[in-house]
Amino acid sequence: MNVLALSRTTAVRLLVLLVILSLLAPAVVSALTYDPSEETTLERGNITSAANNSTVISAQGYTFQGNTNPKKPARLVSVDERGNLEWVHDDRVGGDAWFFDVDPMPNGNLLVSSPRAGDTLVFELDPDTQERVWEQRFDMTDTHDVAYLGDDRIAIANMRQWNESADRSDDRIVVYNRSTEEFTWEWYFRNHYPPSTDGGYNDDWSHVNDVDKIDDDRLLLSPRNFDQAIVVDMETKEIVERLGSDQEYDVLREQHNPDWLLSENGTPTILVADSENNRIVEYAKEDGEWVRTWEVGSESLNWPRDADRLPNGNTLVTDTLNHRVMEITPTGEVVWEYYATWGPYDAERMGTGPESSGPTIRDMNASGTYAITGSANLTAGGEGSVGFDGRIRATFADTPLEEPMNEFATRWAHVTPWLRPVWMSGWDFVWAICAVLVGVTWASGELIVGRHKIAAGIRRLVDR
């Protein structure tokens, strides 16, 4: 009986080992056959219409505990009218860098926000010489956006400003004057939102990722975790406009980089990358209510984080986790496209200003919902045509589990690309995780059985 039991145990162990090896096999094959030269890094996509100027793109890259993954580099990239690479800026001075906001300045230079080594470095970059005209380091952990206000004044979206002694968030917007080296204005989210917002104070409470100048008296802000875009009067410090509300996901969900536009008849309009809803949307204010007038890309975008309306009526879209920047027509057709891995955050068409400078969708009589068409659909690192998240959505569609599984699929699609090695496909990563889970379950079972055997042995010794 003992021999038979031992044989069965060995057979089970061999079977489990075989399952683990089978699950790991696709990742091993991918690692052995991976050719970095075939990976989409900086590459022109579909271009049917030349741009009217260069396009500058900030790629966030992936940095963990001060070390940038060389396969997921952070950099600024400039591309000419027909998608030819002009230059790459990837300095790591003062610690490995992230690159977030990049804005054209009135003098043709670029204003850059680049967190590094626990601080935020803001600098003016001359694109012709690749030299910094000036730089200023702030004791701010992770600043995504800054805005030039004129007269040496810079507005800074200061997120993750946790006050440990007071056990509260001090997330804020500040204005810094470079001439006097002083903060001349500040505005705190905690003075305008209840502490219970987004589940309560935490070290990344508002995640304010954007600050834009509307005019001399107003700023447009994007508290991402509050699912809304707001306008603040700088004199009264009151919120005078609000699009969306906390957890009202059908309006906005963890959006990025909203832009303020006015229609020909003066109707306030907001164009925004609705990131967690994987779409670009535009809202116009009618009779005191915000009405969605445009939606594009919900079937193909993956965590877009910037959208700028160009003077010609097209929209420049940064599609972060598809690693591409596209100029699309009002009906969603791609006319200019560039692939700039890894994780592009912001894209700016030179000569058009730092934000949107074109007509509203309604002024172009193009209101509606559109799919994106005409993309080259290149994929960084190789990927199956239907990803794991797509399978999850399809499997649980029209079932009681549709909503929670769609939530899981969205989180999976937005998180795992940062963690997955570049040589792994999405499905390789799934099978590798399954292998780990099987291995952990097996090891736990072996541990439990081993403890039982030890306990039984001790009991036998005691009985003797």
Side-chain angles (χ1 to χ4, degrees):
M1 179 67 69
N2 289 337
V3 174
L4 180 59
L6 181 62
S7 298
R8 287 177 177 172
T9 301
T10 301
V12 169
R13 286 172 175 166
L14 288 174
L15 180 60
V16 172
L17 181 60
L18 180 61
V19 169
I20 291 174
L21 292 176
S22 299
L23 291 170
L24 289 175
V28 173
V29 171
S30 294
L32 294 175
T33 59
Y34 173 67
D35 183 356
S37 65
E38 295 180 356
E39 181 184 329
T40 300
T41 54
L42 297 173
E43 186 171 344
R44 176 171 51 195
N46 181 38
I47 294 180
T48 60
S49 177
N52 63 346
N53 209 328
S54 297
T55 303
V56 177
I57 304 163
S58 70
Q60 176 181 344
Y62 184 69
T63 296
F64 181 70
Q65 295 185 344
N67 296 307
T68 297
N69 185 334
K71 299 295 185 181
K72 300 177 180 180
R75 53 194 170 184
L76 302 179
V77 177
S78 181
V79 184
D80 74 8
E81 294 88 341
R82 296 190 176 275
N84 299 305
L85 181 65
E86 293 181 316
W87 53 260
V88 175
H89 180 78
D90 61 354
D91 76 87
R92 297 181 181 179
V93 178
D96 290 314
W98 305 86
F99 286 105
F100 286 108
D101 185 51
V102 53
D103 281 346
M105 300 179 69
N107 62 5
N109 290 343
L110 300 168
L111 182 64
V112 182
S113 177
S114 179
R116 53 187 71 190
D119 294 331
T120 290
L121 187 68
V122 177
F123 59 92
E124 179 181 339
L125 180 71
D126 186 327
D128 295 325
T129 65
Q130 296 291 292
E131 297 293 331
R132 298 179 192 168
V133 178
W134 58 264
E135 64 180 55
Q136 180 70 47
R137 188 178 287 268
F138 295 96
D139 182 20
M140 299 176 184
T141 302
D142 186 14
T143 301
H144 283 27
D145 194 61
V146 296
Y148 180 68
L149 303 182
D151 299 325
D152 278 343
R153 295 177 304 135
I154 303 164
I156 305 172
N158 183 198
M159 68 163 72
R160 294 176 177 162
Q161 190 69 14
W162 179 249
N163 186 329
E164 189 162 354
S165 62
D167 196 32
R168 72 183 185 206
S169 170
D170 282 345
D171 287 5
R172 58 183 180 161
I173 305 297
V174 296
V175 174
Y176 179 78
N177 190 311
R178 289 188 51 249
S179 297
T180 62
E181 298 182 347
E182 295 176 324
F183 292 105
T184 60
W185 186 87
E186 60 183 358
W187 186 92
Y188 288 88
F189 283 92
R190 58 178 165 78
N191 292 335
H192 302 271
Y193 287 89
S196 59
T197 306
D198 192 44
Y201 283 148
N202 59 74
D203 58 6
D204 189 21
W205 190 45
S206 71
H207 198 96
V208 55
N209 57 32
D210 191 50
V211 52
D212 291 342
K213 175 184 176 181
I214 295 178
D215 50 40
D216 290 339
D217 302 316
R218 295 179 299 165
L219 297 175
L220 176 64
L221 312 180
S222 172
R224 188 199 76 174
N225 288 351
F226 299 170
D227 307 306
Q228 56 196 267
I230 60 175
V231 176
V232 171
D233 184 295
M234 296 187 70
E235 182 177 353
T236 66
K237 293 192 173 182
E238 295 300 319
I239 297 174
V240 294
E241 295 283 359
R242 189 191 309 266
L243 169 64
S245 61
D246 189 28
Q247 298 183 11
E248 189 182 359
Y249 294 150
D250 61 326
V251 178
L252 294 176
R253 186 173 187 184
E254 299 200 352
Q255 74 292 328
H256 287 77
N257 290 319
D259 283 359
W260 181 268
L261 301 89
L262 287 178
S263 67
E264 292 175 353
N265 65 6
T267 300
T269 303
I270 293 179
L271 170 68
V272 56
D274 189 9
S275 305
E276 288 286 325
N277 285 326
N278 295 320
R279 62 185 182 178
I280 306 299
V281 289
E282 186 166 312
Y283 288 87
K285 194 166 190 183
E286 295 181 346
D287 300 324
E289 300 292 333
W290 289 99
V291 177
R292 188 185 308 148
T293 56
W294 192 56
E295 177 181 333
V296 66
S298 61
E299 299 300 319
S300 57
L301 296 177
N302 190 357
W303 207 40
R305 291 193 291 178
D306 190 30
D308 294 343
R309 182 64 40 73
L310 302 174
N312 65 1
N314 292 342
T315 304
L316 190 66
V317 175
T318 302
D319 187 12
T320 295
L321 289 183
N322 284 322
H323 307 296
R324 62 183 174 178
V325 173
M326 305 176 291
E327 179 182 338
I328 61 173
T329 67
T331 56
E333 179 186 358
V334 175
V335 295
W336 188 95
E337 181 180 41
Y338 193 79
Y339 288 78
T341 58
W342 208 93
Y345 181 83
D346 187 17
E348 300 291 340
R349 182 65 50 78
M350 298 299 288
T352 64
E355 311 302 336
S356 290
S357 55
T360 68
I361 283 295
R362 280 193 168 172
D363 285 342
M364 294 184 286
N365 296 315
S367 296
T369 299
Y370 303 94
I372 289 177
T373 59
S375 170
N377 289 318
L378 303 179
T379 307
E383 186 76 39
S385 58
V386 179
F388 177 70
D389 57 305
R391 290 290 189 194
I392 289 293
R393 290 189 177 94
T395 300
F396 292 95
D398 298 323
T399 72
L401 294 177
E402 179 177 13
E403 185 174 346
M405 295 313 293
N406 279 347
E407 174 69 18
F408 169 75
T410 296
R411 293 299 175 191
W412 177 276
H414 292 172
V415 173
T416 57
W418 304 95
L419 307 176
R420 172 167 49 88
V422 294
W423 45 266
M424 266 192 192
S425 74
W427 281 107
D428 292 346
F429 193 58
V430 171
W431 304 136
I433 289 177
C434 290
V436 171
L437 292 176
V438 172
V440 169
T441 302
W442 178 24
S444 299
E446 291 281 358
L447 181 62
I448 292 171
V449 171
R451 290 179 62 183
H452 287 167
K453 287 183 177 178
I454 292 173
I458 291 174
R459 284 197 298 271
R460 284 196 296 270
L461 288 174
V462 171
D463 291 342
R464 291 177 183 176

